[in-house]
């Protein structure tokens, strides 16, 4: 309830669900106006039907309905996030199975190529998370960035097994970086 009132995780939901902030704010304003108008109509109907004794209630109904309209989309974001986390939890074993089979087909055991090749076989929402993981690592292939990317992916799956497995994948990636750097050093000498 406190989270709904203060909207403390709004930015997190924007990022996690890849929400267009401007469109969300526009929809939010529309919901506020529609709910406020609905409150105004209900207030008018109450005053018309029962007289001025409901005037105080009518005055509070419009802002209350507007407030509910404002919070409605945040509640939808929260529910969508919970549903996505459940789906991610269920899809993670499917990802692992596909990833392991494709890892064996990689000539040098390249973890990132195997993850990238896994993407077409995955369903949403894990597919978009894998795309973000690969994109982050391709943008900056440093060990620190890879750690950050795998850690963020692990947080979206949000269970102990995924954290351990993704930690192993990170270790495999780091080993691949060191062996490819060592191989590059031997070739250039």
């Amino acid at each position: 309830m406190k989270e709904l009132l203060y909207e403390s995780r709004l930015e997190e939901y924007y990022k996690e669900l890849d929400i267009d902030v401007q469109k969300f704010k526009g929809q939010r304003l529309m919901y506020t106006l529609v709910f406020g108008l609905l409150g105004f109509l209900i207030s008018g109907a109450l005053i018309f039907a029962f007289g001025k004794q409901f005037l105080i209630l009518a005055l509070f109904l419009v802002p209350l309905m507007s407030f509910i309209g404002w919070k409605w989309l945040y509640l939808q974001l929260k529910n969508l996030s919970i549903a996505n986390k459940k789906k991610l939890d269920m899809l993670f074993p499917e990802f692992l199975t596909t990833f392991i089979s494709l890892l064996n087909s990689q000539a040098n055991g390249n973890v990132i190529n195997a993850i990238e090749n896994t993407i077409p076989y995955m369903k949403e929402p894990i597919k978009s998370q894998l795309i973000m993981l690969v994109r982050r690592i391709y943008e900056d292939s440093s060990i620190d960035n890879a750690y950050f990317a795998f850690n963020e992916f692990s947080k979206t799956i949000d269970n102990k097994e995924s954290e351990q497995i993704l930690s192993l994948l990170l270790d495999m990636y780091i080993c691949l970086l060191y062996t490819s750097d060592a191989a590059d050093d031997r070739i250039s000498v």
Side-chain angles (χ1 to χ4, degrees):
M1 187 66 175
K2 187 176 179 180
E3 177 193 342
L4 182 64
L5 190 61
Y6 293 113
E7 298 183 357
S8 56
R9 298 183 61 201
L10 184 61
E11 293 296 324
E12 186 180 323
Y13 291 147
Y14 285 158
K15 186 178 174 184
E16 175 186 333
L17 300 171
D18 198 26
I19 301 291
D20 183 358
V21 178
Q22 294 304 319
K23 285 183 181 177
F24 179 80
K25 288 180 179 178
Q27 279 185 326
R28 202 168 202 199
L29 184 60
M30 184 182 69
Y31 271 76
T32 303
L33 293 174
V34 168
F35 273 69
L37 182 60
L38 184 65
F40 181 74
L41 291 174
I42 293 171
S43 298
L46 284 174
I47 292 172
F48 181 75
F50 300 109
K52 292 188 178 184
Q53 66 236 21
F54 281 95
L55 185 62
I56 301 292
L57 176 66
L59 289 175
F60 286 111
L61 195 57
V62 174
L64 177 68
M65 290 297 288
S66 296
F67 182 74
I68 290 171
W70 180 258
K71 294 296 182 179
W72 186 261
L73 281 180
Y74 181 80
L75 186 61
Q76 297 301 318
L77 281 182
K78 181 179 178 181
N79 292 338
L80 184 60
S81 174
I82 291 168
N84 269 354
K85 286 186 181 196
K86 288 179 182 177
K87 282 182 185 177
L88 282 170
D89 200 30
M90 292 183 341
L91 290 172
F92 190 70
E94 181 182 331
F95 158 71
L96 274 181
T97 305
T98 309
F99 170 77
I100 290 169
S101 3
L102 291 174
L103 184 63
N104 292 333
S105 68
Q106 295 297 316
N108 59 357
N110 191 329
V111 176
I112 302 306
N113 285 345
I115 292 174
E116 189 175 22
N117 292 337
T118 304
I119 292 172
Y121 303 104
M122 295 292 99
K123 299 174 191 165
E124 288 296 340
I126 200 166
K127 184 176 189 173
S128 58
Q129 297 297 324
L130 288 169
I131 290 170
M132 287 193 319
L133 171 67
V134 170
R135 186 180 311 136
R136 285 180 184 153
I137 291 177
Y138 277 146
E139 286 173 0
D140 179 11
S141 61
S142 70
I143 293 173
D144 291 335
N145 186 57
Y147 174 78
F148 175 75
F150 275 104
N151 194 28
E152 286 295 310
F153 183 69
S154 171
K155 284 180 184 176
T156 59
I157 305 296
D158 199 27
N159 67 33
K160 273 295 194 204
E161 293 83 19
S162 69
E163 289 178 23
Q164 293 168 346
I165 290 169
L166 290 170
S167 176
L168 290 171
L169 293 181
L170 176 63
D171 292 343
M172 289 171 64
Y173 176 72
I174 292 170
C175 288
L176 180 68
L177 280 180
Y178 280 127
T179 57
S180 64
D181 287 344
D184 292 342
D185 290 342
R186 285 192 301 262
I187 293 171
S188 64
V189 172

